[in-house]
Amino acid sequence: MALRVIRLLVPTAATASQRVTVAQKAGVHTSSVRSLGYGWWAYALGERTTPRFGQNSKIISVDGNLASGKGVLAQKLADRLGMLHMPEPDAFYVDKMTGEKEPLPVDFNGMCSLEKFYTDPKAADGNSYRLQLWMYTMRLLQYADAIEHLLATGQGVILERSPFSDMVFLDAMFKQGYIRKECVQHYNEIKGISICEFLPPHLSIYIDLPAEEVQKKLKQSSKPYLQNVPLAYLKSIEDCYKKSFLNQIRETSELLVYDAAQALDAERVAEDIEYLKFDKGPWLEQDDISYHYMRKLVQDKQRVATLTHIPKFLPEITIGAHEYDEKYYAFRSLPGKRYAAGYNEDKGDKHIWLK
């Protein structure tokens, strides 16, 4: 399957933790000398998670339609509450995890294109569903990073969307005829076996901006491919948020809803958050033992990525053995990809035989 190429790209647990530390200033527990990650010995020697937690040790997702102001509100809230802001991931999130200076070709990033989706959403090569499934995987990896940061440092994290709300795009794609029914069934199967391994956000904030206003803002975008997004597609995203996602998420998480004008007042939103009791949801049932197992899962990004793999034939995401072989050796031929980090002469690594 096409997405299996991610096995080549996702770093080991320790390497991923180091990259998150550098890129997002998260104090994930690793050793700079031996790249040691959290494990059984750390727990056996007394390391516990709950003593780190404070009032704002929470996972918060800010949701809404395209161009609804999620990023601005998320950043302001993070600054106001002393939390870490993780911007919405793109198709090249794995490259950021591994510390690539330049994004790798799309052949190693899901073999999909966001620009192509908006310009040709019904492309015969299956780009639309490949993109949707790849982005779900990226959101899942980022969510694992967010939980890892929370458990390792006690600092809360604010995300722009999450794997729990990713389905609004799938629903919109299907309603507009961009993907097939079989793709929806495959996505639901993938999500069913992966999302159950993670706890939902403590709080979800929804910014309600009518689809018509969203389209007006997109027409002013500097990205040409966003200027002609169909209104029907934007309406489908809005409908799925209001008719499905919000009803689902309020069962397990706190929920705050604002219109776009109210969302501009980050101080008011922060005050509303401080008044919430956070007295429902599966986070209340956790203890140091469950946090231990949770932390071991989320730091293992290979294991997280594998949750999105099902050996099932689907033309949109399936590639042949020969093509996979070509991509595998093409990836291994890139500078610094033949051996583990620190052991590649073509990247300038020295004293390799002494390590």
Side-chain angles (χ1 to χ4, degrees):
M1 294 177 63
L3 289 181
R4 289 188 182 278
V5 178
I6 196 174
R7 294 175 183 272
L8 309 177
L9 305 172
V10 178
T12 60
T15 304
S17 298
Q18 286 182 315
R19 296 306 183 189
V20 171
T21 303
V22 173
Q24 304 186 18
K25 300 180 181 179
V28 179
H29 176 74
T30 56
S31 165
S32 60
V33 178
R34 296 184 180 274
S35 299
L36 296 178
Y38 174 83
W40 291 103
W41 275 111
Y43 184 81
L45 292 174
E47 182 167 345
R48 297 294 184 267
T49 297
T50 52
R52 299 191 184 93
F53 283 1
Q55 180 180 358
N56 292 329
S57 296
K58 304 287 190 296
I59 300 291
I60 299 176
S61 69
V62 181
D63 278 277
N65 215 323
L66 278 64
S68 58
K70 300 180 299 299
V72 174
L73 177 60
Q75 183 62 69
K76 288 182 178 179
L77 286 178
D79 294 339
R80 169 68 170 74
L81 300 174
M83 301 173 74
L84 175 68
H85 172 219
M86 288 187 175
E88 186 170 9
D90 56 19
F92 301 95
Y93 185 72
V94 171
D95 291 345
K96 297 173 183 177
M97 291 173 63
T98 54
E100 301 292 342
K101 294 182 178 179
E102 297 291 337
L104 297 179
V106 295
D107 275 358
F108 310 120
N109 282 287
M111 292 175 282
C112 54
S113 167
L114 181 64
E115 181 175 353
K116 182 176 180 178
F117 166 70
Y118 284 117
T119 55
D120 186 14
K122 295 185 179 181
D125 66 352
N127 175 76
S128 292
Y129 183 59
R130 252 193 335 276
L131 174 68
Q132 176 61 28
L133 190 57
W134 182 256
M135 287 308 301
Y136 173 75
T137 305
M138 297 302 101
R139 294 189 203 281
L140 202 66
L141 288 169
Q142 186 191 55
Y143 200 71
D145 282 342
I147 293 181
E148 181 181 10
H149 179 79
L150 172 69
L151 300 182
T153 69
Q155 183 185 26
V157 181
I158 299 183
L159 303 164
E160 298 170 33
R161 297 199 183 97
S162 74
F164 291 86
S165 60
D166 179 76
M167 39 78 76
V168 300
F169 296 103
L170 178 89
D171 186 77
M173 286 182 183
F174 179 64
K175 287 182 177 178
Q176 299 307 311
Y178 299 163
I179 59 177
R180 301 181 299 129
K181 181 180 179 180
E182 290 78 7
C183 296
V184 177
Q185 294 171 341
H186 180 264
Y187 177 93
N188 288 333
E189 188 175 0
I190 289 287
K191 188 172 182 178
I193 65 172
S194 57
I195 204 69
C196 59
E197 299 291 336
F198 298 88
L199 301 183
H202 294 81
L203 165 66
S204 181
I205 301 174
Y206 177 67
I207 302 177
D208 185 10
L209 182 64
E212 292 80 4
E213 296 300 318
V214 172
Q215 189 180 51
K216 290 180 182 179
K217 294 183 69 173
L218 291 177
K219 287 184 180 296
Q220 302 172 2
S221 172
S222 59
K223 300 176 180 178
Y225 60 86
L226 290 177
Q227 296 175 3
N228 296 306
V229 179
L231 179 60
Y233 176 71
L234 298 173
K235 278 185 172 294
S236 294
I237 293 176
E238 181 181 356
D239 289 344
C240 189
Y241 263 123
K242 293 181 176 179
K243 296 178 180 179
S244 298
F245 173 71
L246 295 184
N247 292 329
Q248 295 173 10
I249 200 66
R250 63 164 42 99
E251 295 180 0
T252 57
S253 308
E254 298 289 350
L255 176 63
L256 294 174
V257 178
Y258 302 95
D259 61 34
Q262 294 171 330
L264 295 175
D265 188 354
E267 286 295 324
R268 173 189 170 181
V269 177
E271 290 178 1
D272 290 344
I273 293 174
E274 291 173 356
Y275 281 111
L276 292 175
K277 295 182 179 180
F278 293 99
D279 57 356
K280 64 178 179 180
W283 284 95
L284 297 176
E285 303 169 3
Q286 309 307 309
D287 55 23
D288 280 313
I289 297 177
S290 61
Y291 285 141
H292 164 69
Y293 287 103
M294 191 186 307
R295 189 171 172 186
K296 281 177 62 63
L297 167 64
V298 296
Q299 79 170 2
D300 189 345
K301 301 306 185 292
Q302 283 281 5
R303 183 180 169 192
V304 172
T306 301
L307 294 173
T308 64
H309 298 147
I310 293 179
K312 185 174 182 179
F313 174 77
L314 199 66
E316 287 84 351
I317 60 170
T318 304
I319 63 175
H322 293 293
E323 185 178 356
Y324 178 87
D325 199 55
E326 290 176 1
K327 293 184 184 300
Y328 175 85
Y329 285 106
F331 176 77
R332 289 302 184 193
S333 67
L334 296 175
K337 302 301 181 185
R338 187 173 184 182
Y339 305 109
Y343 293 84
N344 295 279
E345 288 185 329
D346 57 0
K347 291 287 290 184
D349 297 333
K350 301 182 182 300
H351 312 299
I352 292 176
W353 296 105
L354 298 178
K355 295 181 178 179

